[in-house]
Amino acid sequence: MSVQMVLLPVFVLVALTFALLFGMTRTQRGAPASSAPNRATQLADCYRDQFELPVLFYLLIALALPLRRADLIIVMLSWVFVVTRFAHAGIFVTSNDSAPRSTAWLASALVLFAMWLYFALKLLLLI
């Protein structure tokens, strides 16, 4: 796999993080004090969430690239992970309905677990 193909999902997820950061900043600065707290807190919580599971994703990619273990399966799972993170963030900053948000979070966690399992097996068993 080319480095660009492996890193593109990473860049897309980083773009989501920056979009949430800028949205949070704009909401905190632009809204009157009485209407901002709920929306600002929602965006801040969603932004903070980008430094939990995605950190393990970034670490996996940072290890897989120099070890030459980033293959098509890793890239495809990366895209699935990114899509689930976008779904999670979209639900978080709009309706914030906990049931679909939890489902999106669980999906991203399971995809990330599968990525780490595949990476470990590929690395340790040389598959």
Side-chain angles (χ1 to χ4, degrees), residues 17-66:
T17 303
F18 276 109
L20 290 167
L21 173 66
F22 296 142
M24 177 185 66
T25 304
R26 185 180 56 224
T27 301
Q28 289 174 342
R29 287 185 175 193
S34 60
S35 66
N38 275 348
R39 182 75 173 143
T41 300
Q42 210 172 358
L43 282 165
D45 289 346
C46 188
Y47 172 72
R48 190 174 312 109
D49 196 51
Q50 300 311 309
F51 297 96
E52 293 173 0
L53 275 182
V55 171
L56 292 173
F57 170 70
Y58 298 137
L59 178 61
L60 185 138
I61 299 301
L63 290 171
L65 267 174

Side-chain angles (χ1 to χ4, degrees), residues 1-2 5-6 9 60-61 64-65 67-79 115 118-119 122-123 127:
M1 288 272 86
S2 72
M5 288 186 71
V6 175
L60 185 138
I61 299 301
L65 267 174
L67 295 174
R68 298 189 178 274
R69 296 294 191 268
D71 60 7
L72 182 61
I73 293 173
I74 291 288
V75 171
M76 297 303 287
L77 288 172
S78 293
W79 279 114
M115 289 177 73
Y118 176 76
F119 175 68
K122 189 172 173 86
L123 187 64
I127 59 171

Side-chain angles (χ1 to χ4, degrees), residues 82-94:
V82 169
V83 167
T84 60
R85 296 306 300 167
F86 265 83
H88 178 265
I91 295 164
F92 210 137
V93 301
T94 56

